[in-house]
Amino acid sequence: MPANETAPPVKKKGRRARLIVLVLVLALVAGLGYGAYWSVDGVRASFPQTTGQLKVPGLTGTVEVKRDARGIPQLYADSDDDLFRAQGFVHAQDRFWEMDVRRHMTSGRLSEMFGSGQVETDAFLRTLGWRQVAQAEFDTKLSPETKKYLQAYADGVNAYLKGKSGKDLSVEHAALKLSDDYRPEQWSPVDSVAWLKAMAWDLRGNMQDEIDRALMATKLSQAQIDELYPPYPFDRNKPIVEGGKVDGGKYTPQGSGSGSSGTGTGTGSGSGNAVGTQTVTPTGTGAGTGLADNATAQGATVGLRTQLTALSDTLDKIPAILGPNGSGIGSNSWVISGKYTTTGKPLLANDPHLSPQLPSVWYQMGLHCRTASAQCQYDVAGYTFSGMPGVVIGHNADIAWGMTNLGADVTDLYLEQVKPEGYVYDNRVLPFTTREEVIKVAGGASKKITVRTTNNGPLVSDRSEELGTVGTRAPVASAAPDRGDGYAVALRWTALDPGKTMDAVFKLNRAKDFPSFRAAAAEFDVPSQNLIYADNKGAAGNIGYQAPGRIPVRGQGDGRMPTPGWDSKYAWKGGKDSNTGYIPQNEMPWDSNPSRGYIVTANQAVVETGTGAGKYPYLLTTDWGYGARSQRINDLIEAKIKDGGRISTDDMRTMQMDNSSEIAALLTPMLSKIEISDPGVRAAQKLLDGWNYTQESDSAAAAYFNAVWRNILKLSFGDKMPKELRLEGSCMNVLGNGTGPADDLAKTVRECGTRDADSAQPDGGDRWFEVVRRLVKDEKSPWWSAPAKGLNKPATTTRDQLFARAMADARWELTAKLGKDQSTWSWGRLHQLTLKNQTIGTEGPGFMQWLLNRGPWNLGGGEATVNATGWNASSGYGVTWVPSMRMVVNLNELDKSRWINLTGASGHAYNAHYTDQTTMWAKGELLEWPFGKDAVEKATVDTLTLTPEGS
């Protein structure tokens, strides 16, 4: 049934079981009135052929597709073109629905599939112009070789599509055809390139923080906002790269080269140490906080409130393919030198933390040339994106690599002064660049929009009807340009400039050593990622790190707050469509074989920035992750190798499943000491006695602590947030603000939150760990004040009073959710994962959601732990992002590497491989990962031979 939490059996016994399941499902569907549309054969029609032979137009030779017991394919060919043509064919076999939705999303055409409900999303995506940028990349940036591979891949997809109707492609296509008679079009190379824009969007950095800070200014002082965005704790949590310098146009790691520390050409001078190092006065000069001095910033932000709220609401509606863009999203990767491993060669681990989806965003695959030659250059395996050729993360015969999000600030919001004839820039009025877009709507009339673009980027504020009076109340100084009909908001983003990331993917797949790896990374423009490296050369192998990507060099401003677009002093260096406005790739941080013997990346600070010895001269961002996960991994490695210890493949897996909570270790001793009179709350408090701060699924202490943490955040911060950041539907009485005829300072009004559940604040990520860590030293901080609520919830003025109230609230919350008997409580009962089909399984009819979704699974782990099963503390305990896959690569013997996916290879509901890895994933288990020909042959259970059409 859809709520199955166990892996389905494989092969013959499993086929009979699945047939029984399908009969039962279809009988139930028939009872709901839908059975006339589908039969068992109808549901099975889209399952891929995995044995025998199939003819594929365009092939020059045969390609073998060898699938193991989990349906994971390994492809063998004699030419690169055949290999990527077959990859397109096999991706489409298993995942075409996912591919079809992705390309409609990236081109702003979801309304063609799903109707009028997607028009607003399409309009925003058309405004960003992902498809146009992807087309420009293909036309002007990518190498002829890459274009050839992309075309071969597209030909393979189209070979699969040829002659197939909706039901032959997926159950979802069959369902869609019932109402809209939708037929998929041919795949194009640009469809593959555009997927990189979606990946970059979800990993774009601090844009949401920029909006949130501006909205906070409507209710909080600058000093309060600063407390909620503390500096990175370099004294406690190590950056990725320690030491190093920029000198003579090159970055040199610590211990390499010679010479004095360079100053570079960057303008940033902190990684969160200073809050707002630049100001924006109306004339574009001065020093202070992002939008002028504090008073002017406060006033101007009131004028921004309408458009930023609308923009934030729009962002919430954009499909987050990779995950919610909050402080918790991230990833882990680390690599250990062979001198500290049991194998004598490096071990490399990676687990990207992304949104849970069904199917998983990843697709496991091997791409192998039978014989290496100039015509066939690939022997690589790992995690791919369906819809895109090549391997994104994995290993070849010589090297392995992993990725985590670097988190660079690659977006800026610009406040634009708009006039009927254009926009203001350096006291001139410049004309907009405009284009017309027609959005076709399934079952409805088309909608036409006009996209307006400034030299700072497209006007994203045009995409909301609420923005007709943008900025009309903004109290700005007289020296600012006349507001006219109001200020608009433009988005400057590195991914809107054509780049060469697709070239980089193929070069990574072919890299043989660290220099060729770094050369490939240099073309990985967006999204900016931490790339780790290992190889099997020499006595102990080599390990390394490279920070690639386009990261802007700003004029004035530090990217923390919206910036005045009318003043060229705040433009990125080099201007629009210029590659000169980015940090030079030769000056980006890297490291090789550091003396400590390992490298950890988990979204912490890359380097300590600033001036002076050992400081990096460029501003990468002020919004790093705060290092809770990275430092825990560092500590686990150090503890293991202390006194000559060595790390095994299984040790790497154990580290990936580490559930230790940093915030629990800080707060639990304080909570345990608080005097509690209520016997029910006291009984819950005793759960924390002797707890080791690990968040296992069956732990009652973890359940109670996380409920206490959630209530601490709500009382101390959440209730003080402006409504635009509070969870939608969370209502409270507040004093009137005197801005409307119905308001009065002496009266209270009912105010309800408006923020989506995935992005509401406080979300409880490791930024909030750091906020609370700093505040707990001040027992009388104003943040510990909370008003009374009823007779049983007195007002609080001190830390311990607020903690006691949070403990009581948590006790009664868990009583309501889990029952009065706390012996039955467990973290997993609160912290559940439900896998949802990304389209119809989320928004479709209830019966289709029932057919397509799976779960729940009770999970351990938590927010900002190494086993990062994230949850948003403002909205509840449900899992919102996960380790989307896990891998451990053994460079000594690649066939002893291990991997696991969140779901399975198949995107077809009721296929054996729809979720056949999920239960193993939930338990922290890993599958064998065969790579060599003999190991693959031994693991193979199905072989499909693709042959040229005329053979």
Side-chain angles (χ1 to χ4, degrees), residues 399-415:
I399 76 163
W401 70 95
M403 298 184 190
T404 64
N405 195 25
L406 192 148
D409 185 357
V410 295
T411 59
D412 277 341
L413 295 173
Y414 283 90
L415 190 64

Side-chain angles (χ1 to χ4, degrees), residues 355-412:
S355 177
Q357 295 178 30
L358 185 57
S360 165
V361 69
W362 300 108
Y363 184 97
Q364 295 148 291
M365 180 178 270
L367 302 172
H368 307 279
C369 290
R370 294 188 183 99
T371 303
S373 68
Q375 290 72 41
C376 204
Q377 308 171 73
Y378 294 87
D379 187 19
V380 62
Y383 293 86
T384 71
F385 288 138
S386 52
M388 198 177 93
V391 170
V392 178
I393 295 174
H395 71 81
N396 58 33
D398 299 293
I399 76 163
W401 70 95
M403 298 184 190
T404 64
N405 195 25
L406 192 148
D409 185 357
V410 295
T411 59
D412 277 341

Side-chain angles (χ1 to χ4, degrees), residues 524-847:
F524 206 101
D525 296 318
V526 293
S528 186
Q529 298 288 286
N530 297 306
L531 293 177
I532 62 168
Y533 166 93
D535 69 34
N536 53 16
K537 297 172 173 58
N542 300 287
I543 64 173
Y545 165 82
Q546 177 68 57
R550 287 183 179 156
I551 301 174
V553 176
R554 294 170 173 83
Q556 294 187 31
D558 61 5
R560 289 175 56 84
M561 295 282 274
T563 306
W566 54 79
D567 191 332
S568 62
K569 293 184 181 70
Y570 295 88
W572 291 2
K573 298 289 187 181
K576 187 84 168 71
D577 299 324
S578 170
N579 288 327
T580 62
Y582 304 112
I583 299 173
Q585 283 299 306
N586 283 343
E587 299 182 25
M588 290 289 285
W590 61 278
D591 206 353
S592 177
N593 293 326
S595 58
R596 65 182 175 275
Y598 62 89
I599 300 170
V600 175
T601 86
N603 317 113
Q604 79 271 40
V606 172
V607 289
E608 187 168 3
T609 59
T611 58
K615 301 289 184 68
Y616 187 66
Y618 292 105
L619 176 67
L620 299 177
T621 185
T622 62
D623 291 303
W624 302 112
Y626 281 79
R629 284 179 288 108
S630 62
Q631 193 55 45
R632 176 63 177 172
I633 296 167
N634 273 292
D635 292 344
L636 290 171
I637 294 171
E638 288 287 350
K640 191 70 180 178
I641 66 177
K642 185 179 180 181
D643 300 325
R646 289 181 175 264
I647 293 174
S648 68
T649 301
D650 198 55
D651 291 330
M652 301 285 273
R653 183 199 66 81
T654 300
M655 291 179 193
Q656 287 179 326
M657 294 303 295
D658 183 78
N659 287 327
S660 178
S661 169
E662 179 186 90
I663 194 64
L666 174 69
L667 296 184
T668 298
M670 300 179 193
L671 298 172
S672 296
K673 293 177 182 178
I674 294 175
E675 293 290 334
I676 299 294
S677 58
D678 185 297
V681 180
R682 174 61 185 147
Q685 183 187 36
K686 286 184 177 180
L687 290 172
L688 303 177
D689 293 345
W691 181 43
N692 64 355
Y693 319 129
T694 60
Q695 301 168 101
E696 303 297 336
S697 175
D698 61 358
S699 171
Y704 181 60
F705 172 80
N706 282 314
V708 174
W709 170 237
R710 179 175 185 244
N711 280 279
I712 288 173
L713 291 171
K714 178 180 183 296
L715 291 170
S716 52
F717 308 108
D719 290 347
K720 299 177 179 70
M721 293 283 177
K723 68 182 190 312
E724 292 85 0
L725 272 68
R726 295 204 315 271
L727 178 67
E728 182 177 5
S730 61
C731 301
M732 57 188 294
N733 293 326
V734 298
L735 287 175
N737 58 21
T739 60
D743 294 337
D744 187 276
L745 291 176
K747 294 180 180 179
T748 60
V749 294
R750 193 70 170 162
E751 185 182 81
C752 296
T754 62
R755 184 58 68 85
D756 181 81
D758 284 342
S759 56
Q761 293 294 332
D763 61 16
D766 67 353
R767 173 165 66 87
W768 294 100
F769 290 13
E770 191 64 21
V771 168
V772 171
R773 180 187 299 279
R774 290 167 177 267
L775 288 175
V776 290
K777 301 171 185 176
D778 181 1
E779 296 187 25
K780 295 184 179 180
S781 167
W783 291 109
W784 306 131
S785 298
K789 187 175 180 181
L791 297 177
N792 298 322
K793 297 183 178 180
T796 68
T797 58
T798 69
R799 181 196 68 194
D800 286 356
Q801 288 174 354
L802 185 138
F803 282 11
R805 182 165 156 184
M807 292 169 73
D809 288 351
R811 172 59 165 106
W812 306 122
E813 180 187 1
L814 294 197
T815 297
K817 291 180 181 294
L818 303 179
K820 188 176 181 180
D821 183 0
Q822 65 187 37
S823 68
T824 67
W825 292 0
S826 69
W827 176 223
R829 287 179 61 199
L830 284 176
H831 192 52
Q832 293 186 325
L833 169 67
T834 298
L835 293 172
K836 295 184 177 182
N837 175 281
Q838 62 180 345
T839 50
I840 296 176
T842 303
E843 302 289 342
F847 88 97

